[in-house]
Amino acid sequence: MISAVLVLLLGATPVFGMSEAELDVYLAQLQESRPDFASRLADVAERSLGTAYDPGPLGEGPGAKYDPDPLVDFSKVDCVTFVEQSVALAASTSRAEAVDLLQRIRYKGGTVDYEARNHFMETDWLPNNPFCRDVTAELGVATADVTRTISRKDFFVRVKAPELGRATPDRTLTVTYLPSGRAVEAEAKLPSPSLICFVGKVDWLFTTHCGLYIRDEDGKGRLYHASLPLKKVVSAELPGYLKENPRFLGFTAWEIADPSGPR
């Protein structure tokens, strides 16, 4: 059992303000008090509000050739690492367990290597993380399609690592998405928790932003995401967010299950 004194001392401390020891206490207490993954993810997302935004905060660690940023840093996030770290924390009983799971979410086969990192949502991240299930076309809302070509070798040229990705052929994909104007209809049937992938208008990739959609105990849904303009993790109403951001065509929706499976 977790010490009631330790839990009391922890109080409402945000995730980014916890020491390693406090994070261990928080995760153990969370698993003990909230047996369902969805409830734990909601708590982690709420405690992550205000986390500082930092573009590309994680890498392969000090000394890595391409990205020497730390393997883990719960004090700052971008949109993808916020999703990854929140899921890993909600599924784990300790900080060490969360760090291990985080690497399995971020990298194909858990191999910590820049080339093995899940850089593209549609061709890397989602196929390699089957705990997310596509529900975009299951909400009874009219969808639309967009076709684009994903090129890993061109991506590595962009990030100044042209020797990588040469053996990976380009992939032309058609993605089915929910248009921004259908957000109110779609939200009514969105499962909680869901991963929301916003489809942008950039012609060489699909997802240009992402976040977590979570309903509270009263059934009211909120989008939790790391906002570049606001420089921190915030929550917003999904339809309103889309209306304010015409740079998106719409979004895909993915129901999230516990990546650790039944305990």
Side-chain angles (χ1 to χ4, degrees):
M1 298 289 288
I2 307 301
S3 166
V5 174
L6 289 175
V7 173
L8 183 62
L9 289 174
L10 187 59
T13 305
V15 168
F16 63 82
M18 294 182 191
S19 66
E20 293 188 10
E22 289 172 332
L23 194 55
D24 277 337
V25 170
Y26 167 62
L27 295 180
Q29 188 271 338
L30 192 63
Q31 288 277 345
E32 190 174 286
S33 63
R34 301 196 179 198
D36 62 300
F37 171 75
S39 178
R40 295 196 301 272
L41 184 58
D43 195 90
V44 170
E46 191 68 23
R47 281 184 182 254
S48 297
L49 291 173
T51 306
Y53 183 95
D54 186 342
L58 302 186
E60 284 66 60
K65 180 178 179 179
Y66 299 105
D67 191 345
D69 286 329
L71 274 172
V72 63
D73 184 347
F74 295 115
S75 70
K76 53 188 177 182
V77 292
D78 60 19
C79 66
V80 176
T81 58
F82 164 66
V83 168
E84 293 170 335
Q85 292 183 172
S86 296
V87 170
L89 289 169
S92 302
T93 61
S94 68
R95 183 185 186 278
E97 187 179 331
V99 171
D100 178 70
L101 178 55
L102 177 61
Q103 308 321 318
R104 288 186 276 128
I105 292 172
R106 284 178 57 74
Y107 298 94
K108 183 177 181 179
T111 301
V112 178
D113 180 83
Y114 188 67
E115 191 169 10
R117 195 194 296 178
N118 295 319
H119 293 286
F120 286 96
M121 192 63 72
E122 285 73 23
T123 58
D124 302 335
W125 203 100
L126 289 163
N128 294 330
N129 286 297
F131 59 85
C132 292
R133 186 179 70 86
D134 190 0
V135 296
T136 305
E138 298 179 7
L139 306 180
V141 177
T143 58
D145 293 337
V146 60
T147 300
R148 291 172 182 165
T149 298
I150 297 294
S151 175
R152 282 177 65 83
K153 62 178 182 292
D154 287 354
F155 165 77
F156 286 121
V157 169
R158 283 188 175 93
V159 296
K160 301 185 180 354
E163 64 274 25
L164 302 181
R166 293 177 177 176
T168 306
D170 293 351
R171 287 188 59 187
T172 298
L173 301 175
T174 298
V175 167
T176 297
Y177 67 94
L178 294 152
S180 295
R182 300 282 187 176
V184 173
E185 298 171 66
E187 183 185 25
K189 297 182 180 179
L190 276 176
S192 176
S194 288
L195 168 63
I196 303 298
C197 298
F198 295 95
V199 179
K201 299 177 181 179
V202 180
D203 63 3
W204 59 273
L205 77 164
F206 294 95
T207 298
T208 57
H209 188 53
C210 63
L212 298 171
Y213 181 83
I214 298 172
R215 296 186 190 278
D216 63 20
E217 294 178 354
D218 297 323
K220 183 175 178 58
R222 299 287 292 179
L223 171 71
Y224 291 82
H225 66 115
S227 168
L228 171 59
L230 297 177
K231 304 298 185 185
K232 62 183 178 180
V233 173
V234 298
S235 71
E237 292 185 351
L238 178 59
Y241 176 73
L242 283 162
K243 187 175 182 180
E244 294 169 1
N245 289 277
R247 69 183 183 275
F248 301 128
L249 296 175
F251 64 98
T252 61
W254 303 74
E255 185 176 24
I256 306 174
D258 187 339
S260 64
R263 294 184 179 273

